[in-house]
Amino acid sequence: MAVIDAKRLRKVSVFEPLAATQLTTLLRGAELRRYKRNEIVFRQGQPADAVWVVREGWVQLVRTPTSGDGEHAVVLFTITPREVLCGVSAIERRPYSASGIAGTDAAVVRIPAVDFDRALRQVPEFAYQALRLYAQRIRQMADQYGAMAEPVSQRIVRMLLRLHGQFGATIPVTHRELAQMSWTTTESAIRAVRRLKAQGSVGGRRGEVTVT
């Protein structure tokens, strides 16, 4: 089993309130797992028995109308090491409301829901930091939903700017993934990116967009 670097994890803001012994207790039943790009971390509809911490790479939260309906999948959010937690359905003890799919090769820490819940109850400051993180995510998702009335080109630009803030100038994303994140079609995303390239705003190659 891969070793979990507790000291590195403690540098993440949401875990800072935990004392070393508390973090050790939280991670007692945890596992470090590695996934290749497009591998499923957890599935929509399955029992949410764990909370996941993204340590390397990024994981997409993907929602589909029905199980296996990949054609109409929508990316609700992209979790990077800056975002940290995904699979919070586990806190409610309900099935996962979306699937977690590795957007890149990724390393994630699986924390059993019962252990995460216990830490939230025992350390108020930890619970507060987790609440702040989820509140920020809800606000960002609400902003994205509210942008549905905008033209596709503006939604693409908005998403690229958000991803630029997460990844820097080089964004590891395909046209299809960008379309899913922007709630549009792949063809529309391709046209929008082509216009941005013509303007000199972005560049890139297959599987990458570079903000210039």
Side-chain angles (χ1 to χ4, degrees), residues 5 17 63 78 89 128 135 175 177 200 203 209:
D5 187 345
R63 174 87 178 181
T78 302
S89 299
Y128 174 71
H175 288 123
E177 291 165 344
V209 175

Side-chain angles (χ1 to χ4, degrees), residues 149-180:
E150 296 177 348
V152 170
S153 58
Q154 287 184 231
R155 298 208 301 269
I156 294 292
V157 169
R158 180 190 292 271
M159 183 52 62
L160 287 173
L161 288 174
R162 177 173 171 265
L163 293 173
H164 179 268
Q166 291 176 303
F167 297 105
T170 301
I171 304 167
V173 66
T174 66
H175 288 123
R176 182 172 181 271
E177 291 165 344
L178 185 58
Q180 290 177 331

Side-chain angles (χ1 to χ4, degrees), residues 4 34 74 81 121 123 136 170 172 198:
I4 300 172
R34 296 188 179 276
V74 172
R121 294 174 185 273
V123 187
Q136 291 168 3
T170 301

Side-chain angles (χ1 to χ4, degrees), residues 12-26:
V12 178
S13 60
V14 72
F15 293 107
E16 285 179 352
L18 296 174
T21 54
Q22 292 169 328
L23 184 58
T24 298
T25 300
L26 174 62

